[in-house]
Amino acid sequence: ETVLTQSPATLSLSPGERATLSCRASQYVSSNYLTWYQQKPGQAPRLLIYASSSRATGVPDRFSGSGSGRDFTLTINRLEPEDFAVYYCQQYGRTFGQGTKVQIK
Amino acid sequence: EVQLVESGGGLRQPGGSLRLSCAASGFTLSGYEMNWVRQSPGKGLEWLSYISGSGKTIYYANSVEGRFAISRDNTDNSLYLQMNSLRAEDTALYYCARGLYGSDAFDLWGQGTMVTVSS
């Protein structure tokens, strides 16, 4: 079973800064099947990025995904107040990473 | 409005059973693959089960294989999760999630229904 390890566990940044979140897989993952979600407290997860780099409908272009093989990255340019949340990666519609919390510094 | 609404959660003793429902509205459920995902209090997301649009293909996570059963009624636009032999570690918020067409991502989530397993 493929394990997804997200780092860092917590990222403390200020609004306007760039966030770089990592998702590393224990085995090869096709870039077509790596997904990113955002979850805010008390809310259901929200689809951000699918197929490694495709933004879901309505997702601002400050969110971008990249990567291949075992290493994938979610980048959030110019953090907005509403971006402070927990982010999860997922592979093949199955295993999730443990999440990265982006918090206000 | 396009939405998913889960129901059926509650308190059960270990060894008990529960049936969760997920009602879809604003779209035709039969056109979509569906999943159940749970989140233990303060923890991360755990995928549990998948069912194809026709209901003919089903997958489970190892943690629930043999205890949980996913099903759907496309005529009723509903998804179900039958949960048997419940354990304390099944305590979680249970979400149903729609598969994005042509992808394995989940593009629509319900708000979840809470299941507590405790004696």
Side-chain angles (χ1 to χ4, degrees), chain A residues 2 4 12 101:
Chain A
T2 302
L4 298 179
S12 297
K101 181 178 182 180

Side-chain angles (χ1 to χ4, degrees), chain B residues 5-78:
Chain B
V5 178
E6 301 93 337
S7 61
L11 174 64
R12 286 292 184 274
Q13 292 187 338
S17 297
L18 207 54
R19 189 193 195 205
L20 306 184
S21 299
C22 170
S25 58
F27 68 98
T28 303
L29 191 68
S30 61
Y32 293 88
E33 301 167 342
M34 296 295 296
N35 296 267
W36 286 98
V37 177
R38 70 184 177 188
Q39 186 168 35
S40 300
K43 302 297 184 182
L45 302 169
E46 180 187 13
W47 171 81
L48 298 178
S49 185
Y50 158 96
I51 187 167
S52 63
S54 65
K56 293 182 179 179
T57 302
I58 286 173
Y59 300 115
Y60 297 101
N62 291 340
S63 59
V64 302
E65 175 95 57
R67 299 190 300 123
F68 290 9
I70 191 171
S71 62
R72 63 194 298 158
D73 183 347
N74 288 335
T75 61
D76 198 32
N77 240 28
S78 294

